Amino acid sequence: MLALRAASLFSLFWAFAPVYADTCSEVRDNTDIEVSSPLQLAYTAEQTEYWSASCSALKPSCIIFPRSAAEVAAVMRVLNTNNEKFAIKSGGHSPNNYYASVDGGPLISTQNLDHVLLDPTTGVVDVGPGNRLDGVAAKLQGTGWTFVGGRIGNTGVGGLILGGGLSYMSAQYGWSASSAISYEVVLANGTIVTASATSHADLFTALKGGGNNFGVVTNYKLQAHPQGAVYGGNLVFVRTPALDAALLRAVRDFTEHNTDDKAAVIVTAERTNVDLIDSWILFLFYDGPTPPPGTFSNFTSLGPLTNDLRTRTYADLMALSNWVVLRGFQVQIGTETIPLPSAARAEEVLLGAGGIHAHWRNVSGTALAVPGIVASIAYQPFPKRIAQAARARGRDLIDVEADADRVIIEMNYAFLLPTDYDKMDGKMRETYGGIRERVVRWQAEGKLPNVYLPVFMNYAFYRQDYWGRLKAESRALAREVAQRVDPGGLFRGRTGGWKP
């Protein structure tokens, strides 16, 4: 009797238990959407397309390749019938595990959403999230128009714009997201909406710096800008202590004193344990065929080992930049934003024994025995003009005022062995944490301006408090929009990334 009663209760439980659909099987069996399983060629190829090998090591249950917003919507409706973790992938450039990668759940690749449709009269261009920046530049080559993209061609459009996007052209046009006219968005329930300044305006704002919390963007309508030939390339220097001081002072002075919005620089120090390489690599850009005399002389006059600056196409420059992507390496990236020190404080803040660059050298020096280590720090000017240009083009969540010049610092550690991931996790936290501690102390002492210093999403380490470093009103807007467009928390609860 007890056995029969137990059997009846068991049957009753399963009669009323929720039925969870397996996304891969449901999409494969009931739609025409392409689904690739492990060991299939498309699956294997897509898994290699990550910047960090740690992301490639995560194995999705399948990879889904939608070709339209309607197909993305169909996948969203299936995901609403289960509780599987999933990820959306544009270019896979974020090295943070689970942000554009997933282990054991479906991966939705936007690879086939790779359209670039330009109106040659207005310069309005529709761009799909399956594009990488070098691909967009190549497709626009010869049209006389350009997009406000990032600096590494391998970067995907989706992650760049949803994080804000810092560009060589930001002093002219603001963030990459500042050029967005509208977004086509598939919401969590499968509804397709257009977000713009006049339709779903709060969602439009939230998508500019809000990451992957609100839906899947299947089209970016962007305002392109006129462009012909550009000037740019790399300078490479062999590091010396004297050169450290000269380059850091040069980038400080460029941030404050450069008045030509067409000019941009990135000043990067790099060291490895391979043949004791210790160098500086500079990225210089001018939005025109020839910069005015003296524009970059503080850098070019310092005696670079190599100099490949020349007039070229923007597409060529984007393709050239991909040498920085190290295939097969584990990659970690972190960031800090600092106020630009005055000329009188530059020595203490940037150059001195207790300064930011010495701190980076001290921490990175303790990691040089890690196999394959490549440690780098990049100083990227963020002058007032970038904030002015962004604000002139509408609100975004980053919401930086033009009250001070700033520098965005990017830190990278690349290494060979997955077993070193946790150790290097600690090194990354020590690196950006030490910079932050110094800046807060200098601000309290009146040595640096006490200004708003957000964390730049595109460079942030997964442990950094992205939302906590934004303004309260930006956080509140993001939470309200996320709850309204995704009340069930599909994106906030089942994907990686920073959650408002």
Side-chain angles (χ1 to χ4, degrees):
M1 179 66 70
L2 289 174
L4 287 173
R5 184 175 299 168
S8 297
L9 289 173
F10 185 77
S11 299
L12 187 65
F13 170 79
W14 282 109
F16 290 96
V19 177
Y20 292 118
D22 166 40
T23 303
C24 298
S25 298
E26 285 290 312
V27 174
R28 183 185 294 109
D29 296 343
N30 298 303
T31 75
D32 294 326
I33 302 170
E34 180 185 353
V35 180
S36 185
S37 300
L39 302 182
Q40 290 186 309
L41 182 60
Y43 179 105
T44 303
E46 184 69 4
Q47 280 300 100
T48 67
E49 293 295 328
Y50 284 103
W51 186 22
S52 177
S54 66
C55 296
S56 293
L58 301 175
K59 299 304 180 187
S61 51
C62 70
I63 303 180
I64 302 171
F65 296 91
R67 290 181 170 82
S68 66
E71 290 193 348
V72 173
V75 176
M76 289 296 105
R77 288 191 287 269
V78 173
L79 282 166
N80 274 284
T81 68
N82 62 46
N83 60 1
E84 292 178 313
K85 296 286 187 180
F86 68 98
I88 313 295
K89 181 184 179 188
S90 176
H93 195 69
S94 171
N96 289 318
N97 296 335
Y98 304 105
Y99 280 39
S101 52
V102 64
D103 198 28
L107 174 67
I108 302 169
S109 168
T110 62
Q111 177 189 111
N112 292 327
L113 298 169
D114 62 348
H115 56 277
V116 177
L117 305 173
L118 173 71
D119 182 330
T121 301
T122 64
V124 173
V125 57
D126 290 284
V127 179
N131 287 286
R132 297 175 187 272
L133 304 185
D134 52 5
V136 179
K139 291 172 182 176
L140 292 178
Q141 178 58 35
T143 66
W145 296 95
T146 192
F147 67 108
V148 183
R151 281 76 61 87
I152 305 302
N154 183 257
T155 305
V157 166
L160 176 84
I161 296 179
L162 294 178
L166 193 58
S167 173
Y168 285 129
M169 293 169 276
S170 284
Q172 297 178 80
Y173 309 119
W175 304 107
S176 297
S178 302
S179 291
I181 297 170
S182 68
Y183 303 90
E184 180 183 69
V185 191
V186 180
L187 301 180
N189 65 2
T191 302
I192 303 172
V193 302
T194 298
S196 69
T198 57
S199 174
H200 302 280
D202 284 352
L203 175 60
F204 179 62
T205 299
L207 288 166
K208 293 189 282 185
N212 64 341
N213 292 294
F214 313 102
V216 183
V217 180
T218 51
N219 183 68
Y220 296 84
K221 187 178 290 292
L222 308 172
Q223 180 60 60
H225 301 280
Q227 186 185 72
V230 302
Y231 179 88
N234 300 118
L235 304 179
V236 178
F237 299 83
V238 176
R239 183 259 171 181
T240 66
L243 183 66
D244 291 351
L247 284 173
L248 289 167
R249 190 167 292 281
V251 73
R252 195 223 74 85
D253 292 347
F254 183 91
T255 305
E256 180 178 7
H257 298 302
N258 173 61
T259 59
D260 190 337
D261 291 343
K262 295 183 178 183
V265 302
I266 305 174
V267 176
T268 305
E270 185 168 290
R271 62 196 308 204
T272 112
N273 58 12
V274 179
D275 296 327
L276 300 179
I277 293 173
D278 202 350
S279 61
W280 286 89
I281 303 174
L282 275 58
F283 299 75
L284 275 61
F285 173 85
Y286 191 79
D287 191 7
T290 307
T295 302
F296 300 119
S297 59
N298 282 359
F299 305 103
T300 56
S301 65
L302 295 175
L305 179 67
T306 65
N307 178 344
D308 74 348
L309 297 174
R310 63 179 175 85
T311 303
R312 59 178 88 223
T313 67
Y314 186 63
D316 177 51
L317 188 69
M318 285 289 97
L320 173 73
S321 68
N322 286 329
W323 65 264
V324 305
V325 179
L326 301 175
R327 297 290 184 182
F329 281 69
Q330 323 296 317
V331 179
Q332 294 174 345
I333 184 172
T335 187
E336 264 304 333
T337 307
I338 69 168
L340 184 73
S342 67
R345 292 291 181 188
E347 176 70 30
E348 180 176 3
V349 172
L350 295 175
L351 312 176
I356 287 171
H357 196 69
H359 165 70
W360 171 76
R361 288 195 64 84
N362 290 338
V363 177
S364 61
T366 65
L368 291 182
V370 172
I373 189 71
V374 180
S376 67
I377 184 168
Y379 299 89
Q380 306 189 34
F382 194 94
K384 298 173 186 177
R385 181 66 188 120
I386 294 180
Q388 292 169 353
R391 284 176 165 265
R393 287 163 176 79
R395 186 182 176 189
D396 56 66
L397 289 189
I398 308 167
D399 197 23
V400 181
E401 303 99 336
D403 58 344
D405 295 317
R406 297 168 174 84
V407 177
I408 293 178
I409 296 176
E410 176 190 351
M411 296 147 271
N412 285 275
Y413 288 113
F415 48 97
L416 284 173
L417 302 179
T419 51
D420 286 321
Y421 197 93
D422 289 344
K423 175 181 179 178
M424 295 310 301
D425 184 306
K427 294 296 180 187
M428 177 57 77
R429 284 182 284 158
E430 185 180 356
T431 305
Y432 67 72
I435 294 174
R436 178 63 177 166
E437 290 167 6
R438 283 164 170 77
V439 169
V440 170
R441 183 179 74 248
W442 287 323
Q443 287 181 314
E445 295 170 351
K447 297 176 180 178
L448 286 177
N450 190 19
V451 295
Y452 167 58
L453 299 173
V455 168
F456 181 43
M457 179 184 283
N458 294 123
Y459 298 159
F461 194 49
Y462 75 99
R463 292 184 181 273
Q464 293 189 272
D465 185 9
Y466 174 73
W467 292 102
R469 294 279 292 275
L470 291 185
K471 296 177 181 176
E473 51 268 37
S474 291
R475 296 196 302 272
L477 174 64
R479 290 192 189 106
E480 189 279 324
V481 172
Q483 290 166 1
R484 174 157 36 90
V485 301
D486 182 15
L490 184 76
F491 290 97
R492 284 169 290 140
R494 292 164 56 185
T495 63
W498 297 275
K499 304 305 172 186

